[in-house]
């Protein structure tokens, strides 16, 4: 049994989602060729703390930084570093907060300057697949309906879904039940009920779906070195629709990232 959140809990999750959304916006302003991923992490860390929150990833199961900073073939869980972003790279910031005892968690893959056409398509399709997943997250549907919506869309473009990682419920813990795979069968899996708060987060490879874990035990890479994109939002399951708690509005409002 997965207990839906009360409206009071949802309000606290919404506050977290807002901080994460604004932080992604601040990071986005600074994404450009020549910046290090460590510098982007610092911007996020400062923004989160300025809002009175804590970067929940720092120390989570031993993770060493405030955000996950994943470049190009890194799917998720990259460490911020002195790597200097170059024109044509893609950079994923995955950001989590802990505020008033609840969690926020969202991610965005930014193009660094101009990227090649296939990479641009990967970003477009991955982000669109997230919204397909969100559209399927309605009360009475099942978790498999979300995964099916993401997978069928992504695969129609020849991209592939990473299966080793998935979305999740969120609350006082960053990762709660149910798991939300980005593949699945319609009508299968746990039933979604009104008030459940979940993070949907397609992780999509330009090439094959295979991945491997780096020697540091964290960074997940594509097996074929193809680029991978990752977009994540937090939503509340409602009757007939899902309510977005986090948003990419702060990233996209100035038109720097259009896709
Ligand atoms: Mg995340
Ligand atoms: Mg997540």
């Amino acid at each position: 049994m997965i207990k839906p959140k009360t409206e009071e809990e949802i309000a606290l999750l919404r506050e977290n989602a807002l901080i994460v959304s604004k932080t992604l916006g601040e990071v986005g302003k600074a994404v450009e060729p020549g910046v290090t991923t460590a510098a982007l992490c610092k911007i996020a860390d400062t923004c989160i703390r300025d809002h009175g929150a804590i970067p929940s990833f720092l120390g989570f199961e031993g993770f060493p930084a405030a955000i996950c900073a994943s470049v190009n073939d890194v799917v998720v869980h990259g460490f911020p570093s002195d790597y200097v972003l170059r024109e044509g790279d893609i950079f994923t910031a995955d950001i989590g907060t802990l505020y008033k005892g609840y969690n926020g968690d969202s991610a965005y893959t930014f193009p660094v300057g101009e990227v090649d056409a296939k990479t641009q398509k990967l970003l477009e399709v991955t982000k669109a697949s997230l919204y397909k997943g969100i559209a399927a997250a309605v009360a009475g549907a099942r978790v498999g309906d979300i995964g099916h919506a993401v997978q069928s869309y992504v695969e129609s473009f020849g991209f592939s879904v990473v299966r080793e990682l998935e979305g999740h419920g969120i609350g006082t813990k960053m990762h709660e039940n149910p798991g939300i795979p980005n593949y699945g069968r319609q009508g299968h899996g746990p039933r979604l009920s009104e008030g459940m708060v979940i993070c949907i987060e397609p992780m999509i490879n330009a090439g094959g779906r295979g991945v491997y874990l780096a020697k540091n035990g964290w960074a997940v890479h594509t097996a074929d070195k193809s680029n991978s994109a990752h977009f994540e939002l937090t939503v509340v399951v409602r009757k007939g629709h899902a309510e977005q708690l986090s948003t990419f509005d702060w990233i996209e409002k100035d038109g720097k990232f259009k896709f």
Side-chain angles (χ1 to χ4, degrees), residues 140-199:
R142 290 181 182 270
V143 164
D145 295 319
I146 298 174
H148 175 80
V150 171
Q151 180 186 12
S152 58
Y153 184 74
V154 161
E155 290 181 350
S156 74
F157 292 90
F159 299 134
S160 56
V161 173
V162 174
R163 301 193 180 202
E164 289 78 359
L165 300 146
E166 61 185 18
H168 49 90
I170 188 168
T172 55
K173 295 203 193 84
M174 178 159 56
H175 297 142
E176 299 187 354
N177 286 326
I180 312 285
N182 295 300
Y183 64 97
R185 291 167 64 197
Q186 286 175 298
H188 288 254
R191 193 175 293 282
L192 299 166
S193 55
E194 184 167 22
M196 281 175 54
V197 180
I198 57 175
C199 294

Short mmCIF file of all heavy atoms in Angstrom, two decimals, residues 140-199:
data_model
loop_
_atom_site.label_atom_id
_atom_site.label_comp_id
_atom_site.label_asym_id
_atom_site.label_seq_id
_atom_site.Cartn_x
_atom_site.Cartn_y
_atom_site.Cartn_z
N GLY A 140 -6.00 6.46 -10.87
CA GLY A 140 -6.65 5.29 -11.45
C GLY A 140 -5.79 4.58 -12.48
O GLY A 140 -6.01 3.40 -12.77
N ALA A 141 -4.83 5.31 -13.06
CA ALA A 141 -3.90 4.66 -14.00
C ALA A 141 -2.89 3.84 -13.21
O ALA A 141 -2.91 3.82 -11.97
CB ALA A 141 -3.19 5.72 -14.85
N ARG A 142 -2.01 3.16 -13.94
CA ARG A 142 -0.98 2.36 -13.28
C ARG A 142 0.41 2.85 -13.67
O ARG A 142 0.58 3.54 -14.68
CB ARG A 142 -1.16 0.89 -13.63
CG ARG A 142 -2.41 0.28 -12.97
CD ARG A 142 -2.55 -1.19 -13.30
NE ARG A 142 -3.75 -1.75 -12.73
CZ ARG A 142 -3.81 -2.31 -11.51
NH1 ARG A 142 -2.76 -2.34 -10.73
NH2 ARG A 142 -4.96 -2.82 -11.07
N VAL A 143 1.36 2.47 -12.84
CA VAL A 143 2.74 2.89 -13.08
C VAL A 143 3.20 2.50 -14.49
O VAL A 143 3.91 3.25 -15.16
CB VAL A 143 3.67 2.31 -11.98
CG1 VAL A 143 5.13 2.40 -12.39
CG2 VAL A 143 3.44 3.04 -10.66
N GLY A 144 2.77 1.33 -14.95
CA GLY A 144 3.16 0.89 -16.28
C GLY A 144 2.65 1.80 -17.39
O GLY A 144 3.24 1.84 -18.48
N ASP A 145 1.58 2.52 -17.12
CA ASP A 145 1.07 3.46 -18.14
C ASP A 145 2.05 4.61 -18.35
O ASP A 145 2.19 5.12 -19.47
CB ASP A 145 -0.30 4.02 -17.70
CG ASP A 145 -1.37 2.94 -17.63
OD1 ASP A 145 -1.40 2.08 -18.54
OD2 ASP A 145 -2.16 2.95 -16.67
N ILE A 146 2.71 5.02 -17.26
CA ILE A 146 3.72 6.09 -17.38
C ILE A 146 4.90 5.57 -18.20
O ILE A 146 5.34 6.20 -19.17
CB ILE A 146 4.20 6.54 -15.99
CG1 ILE A 146 3.05 7.13 -15.17
CG2 ILE A 146 5.35 7.55 -16.14
CD1 ILE A 146 3.43 7.47 -13.72
N GLY A 147 5.41 4.41 -17.80
CA GLY A 147 6.55 3.84 -18.50
C GLY A 147 6.27 3.59 -19.96
O GLY A 147 7.11 3.86 -20.83
N HIS A 148 5.08 3.10 -20.23
CA HIS A 148 4.70 2.84 -21.62
C HIS A 148 4.68 4.14 -22.43
O HIS A 148 5.13 4.18 -23.58
CB HIS A 148 3.34 2.15 -21.69
CG HIS A 148 2.84 1.95 -23.08
ND1 HIS A 148 3.28 0.91 -23.88
CD2 HIS A 148 1.98 2.68 -23.85
CE1 HIS A 148 2.70 1.01 -25.06
NE2 HIS A 148 1.91 2.07 -25.07
N ALA A 149 4.14 5.19 -21.84
CA ALA A 149 4.04 6.47 -22.54
C ALA A 149 5.43 7.00 -22.89
O ALA A 149 5.67 7.47 -24.01
CB ALA A 149 3.29 7.49 -21.68
N VAL A 150 6.35 6.89 -21.94
CA VAL A 150 7.73 7.36 -22.17
C VAL A 150 8.40 6.49 -23.22
O VAL A 150 8.95 6.98 -24.21
CB VAL A 150 8.53 7.34 -20.85
CG1 VAL A 150 10.01 7.61 -21.13
CG2 VAL A 150 7.97 8.34 -19.85
N GLN A 151 8.35 5.20 -23.00
CA GLN A 151 9.09 4.27 -23.86
C GLN A 151 8.61 4.30 -25.31
O GLN A 151 9.43 4.35 -26.25
CB GLN A 151 8.94 2.85 -23.31
CG GLN A 151 9.69 1.80 -24.13
CD GLN A 151 9.41 0.38 -23.65
OE1 GLN A 151 8.49 0.15 -22.85
NE2 GLN A 151 10.20 -0.56 -24.11
N SER A 152 7.29 4.27 -25.50
CA SER A 152 6.78 4.18 -26.87
C SER A 152 7.15 5.44 -27.65
O SER A 152 7.49 5.38 -28.84
CB SER A 152 5.27 3.94 -26.88
OG SER A 152 4.61 4.96 -26.18
N TYR A 153 7.13 6.58 -26.96
CA TYR A 153 7.49 7.84 -27.62
C TYR A 153 8.97 7.85 -27.99
O TYR A 153 9.35 8.11 -29.14
CB TYR A 153 7.15 9.01 -26.71
CG TYR A 153 7.40 10.35 -27.35
CD1 TYR A 153 6.55 10.84 -28.34
CD2 TYR A 153 8.50 11.13 -26.99
CE1 TYR A 153 6.80 12.06 -28.95
CE2 TYR A 153 8.75 12.35 -27.59
CZ TYR A 153 7.88 12.81 -28.58
OH TYR A 153 8.13 14.02 -29.18
N VAL A 154 9.81 7.55 -27.02
CA VAL A 154 11.26 7.62 -27.21
C VAL A 154 11.73 6.64 -28.29
O VAL A 154 12.53 6.99 -29.17
CB VAL A 154 11.94 7.31 -25.86
CG1 VAL A 154 13.39 6.91 -26.05
CG2 VAL A 154 11.82 8.50 -24.92
N GLU A 155 11.22 5.42 -28.23
CA GLU A 155 11.68 4.40 -29.17
C GLU A 155 11.21 4.68 -30.60
O GLU A 155 11.85 4.23 -31.55
CB GLU A 155 11.24 3.01 -28.69
CG GLU A 155 12.01 2.60 -27.43
CD GLU A 155 11.66 1.23 -26.88
OE1 GLU A 155 10.68 0.62 -27.35
OE2 GLU A 155 12.36 0.78 -25.96
N SER A 156 10.14 5.46 -30.74
CA SER A 156 9.68 5.79 -32.09
C SER A 156 10.69 6.69 -32.81
O SER A 156 10.64 6.83 -34.04
CB SER A 156 8.30 6.46 -32.04
OG SER A 156 8.39 7.78 -31.57
N PHE A 157 11.61 7.29 -32.06
CA PHE A 157 12.66 8.11 -32.65
C PHE A 157 13.99 7.36 -32.74
O PHE A 157 15.01 7.94 -33.13
CB PHE A 157 12.86 9.39 -31.83
CG PHE A 157 11.69 10.33 -31.91
CD1 PHE A 157 10.66 10.23 -30.99
CD2 PHE A 157 11.62 11.29 -32.91
CE1 PHE A 157 9.56 11.09 -31.06
CE2 PHE A 157 10.52 12.15 -33.00
CZ PHE A 157 9.49 12.04 -32.07
N GLY A 158 14.00 6.09 -32.34
CA GLY A 158 15.23 5.30 -32.42
C GLY A 158 16.14 5.47 -31.22
O GLY A 158 17.27 4.96 -31.24
N PHE A 159 15.69 6.18 -30.20
CA PHE A 159 16.47 6.30 -28.97
C PHE A 159 16.10 5.17 -28.01
O PHE A 159 15.13 4.44 -28.24
CB PHE A 159 16.23 7.67 -28.32
CG PHE A 159 16.62 8.83 -29.19
CD1 PHE A 159 15.79 9.93 -29.35
CD2 PHE A 159 17.84 8.83 -29.86
CE1 PHE A 159 16.15 11.01 -30.16
CE2 PHE A 159 18.23 9.91 -30.67
CZ PHE A 159 17.37 10.99 -30.82
N SER A 160 16.88 5.02 -26.94
CA SER A 160 16.61 3.89 -26.06
C SER A 160 16.52 4.30 -24.59
O SER A 160 17.15 5.25 -24.15
CB SER A 160 17.68 2.81 -26.25
OG SER A 160 18.95 3.35 -26.05
N VAL A 161 15.72 3.53 -23.87
CA VAL A 161 15.42 3.81 -22.47
C VAL A 161 16.39 3.04 -21.57
O VAL A 161 16.51 1.82 -21.68
CB VAL A 161 13.98 3.37 -22.12
CG1 VAL A 161 13.70 3.50 -20.63
CG2 VAL A 161 12.97 4.17 -22.93
N VAL A 162 17.05 3.75 -20.66
CA VAL A 162 17.88 3.09 -19.66
C VAL A 162 16.96 2.39 -18.67
O VAL A 162 16.01 2.99 -18.15
CB VAL A 162 18.77 4.12 -18.92
CG1 VAL A 162 19.52 3.47 -17.77
CG2 VAL A 162 19.73 4.78 -19.90
N ARG A 163 17.21 1.12 -18.41
CA ARG A 163 16.28 0.35 -17.58
C ARG A 163 16.78 0.12 -16.16
O ARG A 163 16.03 -0.31 -15.29
CB ARG A 163 16.01 -1.00 -18.23
CG ARG A 163 15.41 -0.80 -19.62
CD ARG A 163 14.82 -2.06 -20.18
NE ARG A 163 14.26 -1.81 -21.51
CZ ARG A 163 13.35 -2.55 -22.08
NH1 ARG A 163 12.88 -3.61 -21.44
NH2 ARG A 163 12.90 -2.26 -23.28
N GLU A 164 18.05 0.39 -15.94
CA GLU A 164 18.63 0.13 -14.61
C GLU A 164 18.27 1.20 -13.59
O GLU A 164 18.53 1.04 -12.40
CB GLU A 164 20.16 0.04 -14.72
CG GLU A 164 20.66 -1.22 -15.42
CD GLU A 164 20.55 -1.16 -16.95
OE1 GLU A 164 20.05 -0.15 -17.50
OE2 GLU A 164 20.94 -2.14 -17.59
N LEU A 165 17.71 2.30 -14.07
CA LEU A 165 17.40 3.43 -13.19
C LEU A 165 15.96 3.85 -13.44
O LEU A 165 15.44 3.66 -14.54
CB LEU A 165 18.33 4.61 -13.52
CG LEU A 165 19.81 4.31 -13.33
CD1 LEU A 165 20.65 5.06 -14.35
CD2 LEU A 165 20.25 4.65 -11.91
N GLU A 166 15.34 4.44 -12.42
CA GLU A 166 13.92 4.77 -12.58
C GLU A 166 13.54 5.95 -11.70
O GLU A 166 14.29 6.35 -10.81
CB GLU A 166 13.06 3.54 -12.21
CG GLU A 166 13.25 3.08 -10.78
CD GLU A 166 12.49 1.80 -10.45
OE1 GLU A 166 12.10 1.06 -11.39
OE2 GLU A 166 12.29 1.53 -9.25
N GLY A 167 12.35 6.49 -11.96
CA GLY A 167 11.77 7.51 -11.09
C GLY A 167 11.25 6.87 -9.81
O GLY A 167 11.41 5.67 -9.58
N HIS A 168 10.54 7.68 -9.00
CA HIS A 168 10.26 7.24 -7.63
C HIS A 168 9.23 8.15 -6.98
O HIS A 168 9.06 9.31 -7.38
CB HIS A 168 11.56 7.29 -6.82
CG HIS A 168 12.28 8.61 -6.96
ND1 HIS A 168 12.06 9.68 -6.14
CD2 HIS A 168 13.18 9.03 -7.89
CE1 HIS A 168 12.81 10.69 -6.53
NE2 HIS A 168 13.49 10.34 -7.60
N GLY A 169 8.61 7.64 -5.92
CA GLY A 169 7.85 8.51 -5.05
C GLY A 169 8.79 9.42 -4.28
O GLY A 169 10.00 9.16 -4.21
N ILE A 170 8.25 10.49 -3.71
CA ILE A 170 9.08 11.43 -2.94
C ILE A 170 8.27 11.98 -1.77
O ILE A 170 7.06 12.14 -1.89
CB ILE A 170 9.62 12.54 -3.87
CG1 ILE A 170 10.63 13.43 -3.14
CG2 ILE A 170 8.48 13.38 -4.46
CD1 ILE A 170 11.42 14.36 -4.06
N GLY A 171 8.95 12.23 -0.67
CA GLY A 171 8.27 12.74 0.51
C GLY A 171 9.30 13.15 1.54
O GLY A 171 10.21 13.92 1.24
N THR A 172 9.19 12.57 2.74
CA THR A 172 10.23 12.84 3.74
C THR A 172 11.52 12.13 3.35
O THR A 172 12.59 12.50 3.80
CB THR A 172 9.79 12.37 5.15
OG1 THR A 172 9.43 10.98 5.07
CG2 THR A 172 8.60 13.17 5.65
N LYS A 173 11.39 11.12 2.53
CA LYS A 173 12.57 10.49 1.93
C LYS A 173 12.65 10.89 0.46
O LYS A 173 11.62 11.04 -0.20
CB LYS A 173 12.49 8.96 2.02
CG LYS A 173 12.51 8.43 3.44
CD LYS A 173 12.99 6.97 3.44
CE LYS A 173 12.74 6.30 4.78
NZ LYS A 173 11.33 5.78 4.85
N MET A 174 13.89 10.98 -0.05
CA MET A 174 14.04 11.36 -1.46
C MET A 174 13.48 10.28 -2.38
O MET A 174 12.86 10.58 -3.39
CB MET A 174 15.51 11.61 -1.79
CG MET A 174 15.73 11.96 -3.26
SD MET A 174 17.27 12.80 -3.58
CE MET A 174 18.48 11.69 -2.89
N HIS A 175 13.71 9.03 -2.00
CA HIS A 175 13.24 7.91 -2.83
C HIS A 175 12.23 7.10 -2.05
O HIS A 175 12.57 6.45 -1.07
CB HIS A 175 14.41 7.02 -3.27
CG HIS A 175 15.41 7.72 -4.13
ND1 HIS A 175 16.76 7.51 -4.05
CD2 HIS A 175 15.24 8.65 -5.09
CE1 HIS A 175 17.39 8.29 -4.93
NE2 HIS A 175 16.49 8.99 -5.57
N GLU A 176 10.98 7.17 -2.47
CA GLU A 176 9.93 6.39 -1.83
C GLU A 176 9.27 5.52 -2.91
O GLU A 176 9.48 5.70 -4.10
CB GLU A 176 8.89 7.33 -1.19
CG GLU A 176 9.49 8.22 -0.09
CD GLU A 176 8.44 9.04 0.67
OE1 GLU A 176 7.25 9.01 0.27
OE2 GLU A 176 8.83 9.70 1.64
N ASN A 177 8.45 4.61 -2.45
CA ASN A 177 7.66 3.82 -3.40
C ASN A 177 6.54 4.68 -3.98
O ASN A 177 6.09 5.60 -3.32
CB ASN A 177 7.05 2.59 -2.70
CG ASN A 177 8.11 1.54 -2.43
OD1 ASN A 177 9.04 1.37 -3.19
ND2 ASN A 177 7.97 0.85 -1.31
N PRO A 178 6.09 4.40 -5.18
CA PRO A 178 6.54 3.31 -6.06
C PRO A 178 7.74 3.72 -6.91
O PRO A 178 7.95 4.90 -7.15
CB PRO A 178 5.32 3.11 -6.97
CG PRO A 178 4.74 4.49 -7.11
CD PRO A 178 5.00 5.18 -5.78
N GLY A 179 8.52 2.74 -7.37
CA GLY A 179 9.47 3.01 -8.43
C GLY A 179 8.71 3.31 -9.72
O GLY A 179 7.63 2.76 -9.94
N ILE A 180 9.25 4.22 -10.52
CA ILE A 180 8.58 4.60 -11.77
C ILE A 180 9.52 4.32 -12.94
O ILE A 180 10.27 5.20 -13.38
CB ILE A 180 8.22 6.12 -11.76
CG1 ILE A 180 7.52 6.54 -10.46
CG2 ILE A 180 7.38 6.46 -12.99
CD1 ILE A 180 6.08 6.11 -10.33
N PRO A 181 9.50 3.11 -13.47
CA PRO A 181 10.36 2.80 -14.63
C PRO A 181 9.94 3.61 -15.86
O PRO A 181 8.78 3.99 -15.99
CB PRO A 181 10.12 1.30 -14.87
CG PRO A 181 9.41 0.79 -13.67
CD PRO A 181 8.68 1.95 -13.07
N ASN A 182 10.89 3.82 -16.72
CA ASN A 182 10.62 4.56 -17.96
C ASN A 182 10.28 3.63 -19.12
O ASN A 182 10.37 4.01 -20.28
CB ASN A 182 11.81 5.45 -18.30
CG ASN A 182 12.00 6.51 -17.25
OD1 ASN A 182 11.10 7.32 -17.02
ND2 ASN A 182 13.14 6.50 -16.57
N TYR A 183 9.92 2.41 -18.79
CA TYR A 183 9.42 1.46 -19.78
C TYR A 183 8.34 0.67 -19.07
O TYR A 183 8.28 0.65 -17.83
CB TYR A 183 10.54 0.52 -20.26
CG TYR A 183 11.10 -0.37 -19.18
CD1 TYR A 183 10.64 -1.68 -19.02
CD2 TYR A 183 12.04 0.11 -18.29
CE1 TYR A 183 11.12 -2.49 -18.01
CE2 TYR A 183 12.53 -0.70 -17.26
CZ TYR A 183 12.07 -1.99 -17.14
OH TYR A 183 12.54 -2.78 -16.11
N GLY A 184 7.49 0.03 -19.83
CA GLY A 184 6.46 -0.76 -19.16
C GLY A 184 5.29 -1.07 -20.05
O GLY A 184 5.27 -0.71 -21.23
N ARG A 185 4.35 -1.76 -19.44
CA ARG A 185 3.15 -2.19 -20.16
C ARG A 185 1.94 -1.47 -19.60
O ARG A 185 1.77 -1.36 -18.38
CB ARG A 185 2.97 -3.70 -20.01
CG ARG A 185 4.04 -4.49 -20.77
CD ARG A 185 4.03 -5.94 -20.34
NE ARG A 185 2.77 -6.61 -20.68
CZ ARG A 185 2.36 -7.75 -20.13
NH1 ARG A 185 3.09 -8.35 -19.18
NH2 ARG A 185 1.23 -8.30 -20.50
N GLN A 186 1.11 -1.01 -20.50
CA GLN A 186 -0.12 -0.33 -20.08
C GLN A 186 -0.94 -1.26 -19.18
O GLN A 186 -1.05 -2.45 -19.46
CB GLN A 186 -0.95 0.04 -21.31
CG GLN A 186 -0.38 1.24 -22.08
CD GLN A 186 -1.16 1.52 -23.34
OE1 GLN A 186 -1.23 0.68 -24.23
NE2 GLN A 186 -1.76 2.69 -23.43
N GLY A 187 -1.50 -0.68 -18.13
CA GLY A 187 -2.39 -1.45 -17.26
C GLY A 187 -1.67 -2.33 -16.26
O GLY A 187 -2.30 -3.09 -15.53
N HIS A 188 -0.34 -2.24 -16.21
CA HIS A 188 0.44 -3.06 -15.28
C HIS A 188 1.12 -2.18 -14.23
O HIS A 188 1.33 -1.01 -14.43
CB HIS A 188 1.50 -3.88 -16.03
CG HIS A 188 0.90 -4.99 -16.83
ND1 HIS A 188 0.98 -6.32 -16.46
CD2 HIS A 188 0.18 -4.97 -17.97
CE1 HIS A 188 0.35 -7.05 -17.34
NE2 HIS A 188 -0.14 -6.28 -18.27
N GLY A 189 1.45 -2.81 -13.10
CA GLY A 189 2.17 -2.10 -12.05
C GLY A 189 1.22 -1.52 -11.01
O GLY A 189 0.00 -1.62 -11.15
N PRO A 190 1.80 -0.91 -9.96
CA PRO A 190 0.98 -0.34 -8.90
C PRO A 190 0.01 0.72 -9.43
O PRO A 190 0.33 1.43 -10.38
CB PRO A 190 2.03 0.32 -7.98
CG PRO A 190 3.31 -0.37 -8.27
CD PRO A 190 3.25 -0.79 -9.71
N ARG A 191 -1.15 0.79 -8.79
CA ARG A 191 -2.14 1.77 -9.22
C ARG A 191 -1.79 3.14 -8.64
O ARG A 191 -1.33 3.25 -7.50
CB ARG A 191 -3.55 1.35 -8.78
CG ARG A 191 -4.64 2.15 -9.47
CD ARG A 191 -6.04 1.66 -9.14
NE ARG A 191 -6.36 0.33 -9.64
CZ ARG A 191 -6.69 0.05 -10.90
NH1 ARG A 191 -6.72 1.00 -11.83
NH2 ARG A 191 -7.01 -1.18 -11.26
N LEU A 192 -2.03 4.17 -9.43
CA LEU A 192 -1.77 5.55 -9.00
C LEU A 192 -3.03 6.11 -8.37
O LEU A 192 -4.12 5.98 -8.93
CB LEU A 192 -1.38 6.41 -10.21
CG LEU A 192 -0.10 5.96 -10.95
CD1 LEU A 192 0.00 6.67 -12.30
CD2 LEU A 192 1.14 6.25 -10.10
N SER A 193 -2.87 6.71 -7.19
CA SER A 193 -4.04 7.29 -6.56
C SER A 193 -3.82 8.77 -6.29
O SER A 193 -2.68 9.25 -6.22
CB SER A 193 -4.38 6.55 -5.26
OG SER A 193 -3.25 6.54 -4.41
N GLU A 194 -4.92 9.47 -6.15
CA GLU A 194 -4.87 10.92 -5.98
C GLU A 194 -4.03 11.30 -4.76
O GLU A 194 -4.21 10.71 -3.68
CB GLU A 194 -6.28 11.49 -5.85
CG GLU A 194 -6.26 13.00 -5.78
CD GLU A 194 -7.63 13.64 -5.98
OE1 GLU A 194 -8.64 12.95 -5.76
OE2 GLU A 194 -7.65 14.82 -6.34
N GLY A 195 -3.12 12.21 -4.93
CA GLY A 195 -2.28 12.67 -3.82
C GLY A 195 -0.93 11.99 -3.76
O GLY A 195 -0.08 12.39 -2.96
N MET A 196 -0.73 10.98 -4.58
CA MET A 196 0.63 10.41 -4.64
C MET A 196 1.55 11.43 -5.31
O MET A 196 1.18 12.06 -6.29
CB MET A 196 0.64 9.11 -5.45
CG MET A 196 0.12 7.91 -4.67
SD MET A 196 0.01 6.40 -5.67
CE MET A 196 1.66 6.30 -6.31
N VAL A 197 2.73 11.61 -4.72
CA VAL A 197 3.71 12.54 -5.31
C VAL A 197 4.88 11.72 -5.83
O VAL A 197 5.47 10.93 -5.10
CB VAL A 197 4.17 13.59 -4.28
CG1 VAL A 197 5.18 14.55 -4.91
CG2 VAL A 197 2.97 14.36 -3.74
N ILE A 198 5.17 11.91 -7.12
CA ILE A 198 6.19 11.08 -7.77
C ILE A 198 7.13 11.95 -8.61
O ILE A 198 6.76 13.03 -9.06
CB ILE A 198 5.55 9.99 -8.68
CG1 ILE A 198 4.64 10.61 -9.73
CG2 ILE A 198 4.79 8.96 -7.83
CD1 ILE A 198 4.08 9.60 -10.73
N CYS A 199 8.33 11.44 -8.78
CA CYS A 199 9.30 12.04 -9.69
C CYS A 199 9.37 11.16 -10.92
O CYS A 199 9.66 9.96 -10.82
CB CYS A 199 10.68 12.13 -9.04
SG CYS A 199 10.70 13.26 -7.63
#
